[in-house]
Amino acid sequence: MYEDKTLVCKDCGAEFVFTAGEQEFYAERGFQNEPIRCKDCRIARKNSMKQAREMYEVTCADCGAIAKVPFMPKNDRPVYCSECFEKHR
């Protein structure tokens, strides 16, 4: 039903293949748009967003350990380290 398509990356201009399997995956998930970046540019963009994120140092409300979180903590809600957060899920 699906056939491989050759697309052009928005960032680097390189051609990349949008395979039939990837198209089927997109359709199963309800994605309506085709990818606009090649795999390398998608990874680079994702990594650049991670690096730009400001981290805040907090004290865990349960164990008292120092943890870093990607949001500005509010005084009205407890903040947990990764281990304690998993316990509370």
Side-chain angles (χ1 to χ4, degrees), residues 4-82:
D4 290 358
K5 289 184 184 179
T6 301
L7 304 175
V8 177
C9 178
K10 172 185 173 181
D11 291 346
C12 69
E15 290 185 347
F16 65 99
V17 177
F18 185 35
T19 66
E22 290 170 331
Q23 291 174 47
E24 186 175 349
F25 175 83
Y26 272 53
E28 287 173 359
R29 301 293 185 281
F31 301 146
Q32 296 179 352
N33 300 322
E34 295 179 341
I36 57 174
R37 291 179 179 87
C38 65
K39 184 175 182 177
D40 291 338
C41 289
R42 283 195 315 265
I43 291 170
R45 180 177 163 89
K46 188 175 182 179
N47 288 337
S48 72
M49 284 193 222
K50 284 182 184 178
Q51 292 171 356
R53 186 181 288 184
E54 185 175 352
M55 300 296 278
Y56 299 90
E57 202 168 273
V58 297
T59 302
C60 176
D62 268 1
C63 69
I66 301 296
K68 291 188 178 184
V69 295
F71 57 88
M72 174 71 85
K74 297 179 181 177
N75 292 332
D76 62 334
R77 300 192 68 182
V79 179
Y80 304 107
C81 66
S82 297

